[in-house]
Amino acid sequence: MNLVDLDTYLSSDDSPENCMMLSDLDGFMHGIACSPVLISADEWVPVALGGDPNDVPSWVLNAITQLYVNIVEGLCSEPPEVEPIFWEAQEGHVIAMDWCEGFMDAVALRPKEWLRLTESGTHGFLMTPILCHLIDEDGNSVLGIPQEKLDESLALAAEDIPSAVVGIHQFWEQDTKTE
C-alpha cells in the first residue's frame, strides 16, 4: 500500500467532495478499530469516503482496507503498536488535530457505547490527549486550555496519543471479557 498515492488521491479533485483526508481517515479508522462494538465496513467506509464507495477506484478501497488491517494488527500485536498519521508543520511540530477529529467522528457513530469508557471513573482519562485537540469555531480549546498554553499542551498531548489509543483498545478488550 502506498500512502503517498492514497494521500494524493484523497486530496485531489477526483475524490468525493466530502471524503476524509489521510490524517482524518487514519484517526477515524483507529476509532473504528477501538470501538466498543463492531462497526461494519458497509457503515464506516461511506462515512470515510463522504459518499458511495462505488464512486472511487478499487485501488483506493484496497488501500483503505489495508490501512485498516494494519491498524488492527498493530493494536493486536505484542506489544501493541500505534503509529498515527499526523501532519507536520513547516516549523517541524506535529499537527494531530485532524487525526483527533477523525477519531471522534468514529466515536460519534456509537456515542452511547463510548460512555462506558468516558464515565468509567478509571479510564476516561485515556480520551484526554484526543479531546485536547478539539478546537471550537473560534479557535478555543473545547477543554478550556488557555490560548497561551495551547501549543505546548497540544504537543504534549500528541505524544500521548499512541499510548492512549492502546489503552482505549485494551479497555474495550477487557470490557468484553468481563461481560
Side-chain angles (χ1 to χ4, degrees), residues 1-149:
M1 171 188 54
N2 186 333
L3 289 177
V4 173
D5 290 344
L6 181 58
D7 184 37
T8 300
Y9 174 80
L10 295 173
S11 303
S12 75
D13 290 339
D14 294 334
S15 68
E17 186 176 328
N18 294 317
C19 78
M20 295 181 178
M21 299 295 107
L22 186 58
S23 184
D24 307 60
L25 176 65
D26 188 62
F28 181 70
M29 290 194 297
H30 274 86
I32 296 295
C34 288
S35 179
V37 294
L38 182 64
I39 300 173
S40 75
D42 289 342
E43 181 179 355
W44 68 258
V45 170
V47 174
L49 293 174
D52 187 348
N54 295 318
D55 294 341
V56 301
S58 61
W59 73 265
V60 172
L61 293 175
N62 293 339
I64 289 171
T65 301
Q66 187 58 54
L67 181 58
Y68 178 74
V69 167
N70 293 349
I71 289 167
V72 171
E73 287 176 350
L75 284 166
C76 294
S77 67
E78 194 53 52
E81 294 178 26
V82 173
E83 297 178 17
I85 299 173
F86 296 149
W87 300 125
E88 188 171 317
Q90 289 181 341
E91 304 83 35
H93 65 275
V94 299
I95 301 171
M97 213 167 289
D98 290 342
W99 189 96
C100 294
E101 288 174 2
F103 191 96
M104 294 307 296
D105 286 341
V107 170
L109 293 177
R110 298 291 187 279
K112 289 180 183 172
E113 286 84 353
W114 279 86
L115 288 176
R116 289 200 322 270
L117 170 67
T118 57
E119 296 179 352
S120 69
T122 56
H123 290 79
F125 72 92
L126 291 168
M127 292 296 289
T128 303
I130 297 165
L131 296 173
C132 280
H133 287 86
L134 302 182
I135 306 296
D136 68 17
E137 59 277 348
D138 296 322
N140 298 311
S141 164
V142 298
L143 292 184
I145 301 167
Q147 280 293 333
E148 62 274 7
K149 294 185 179 188

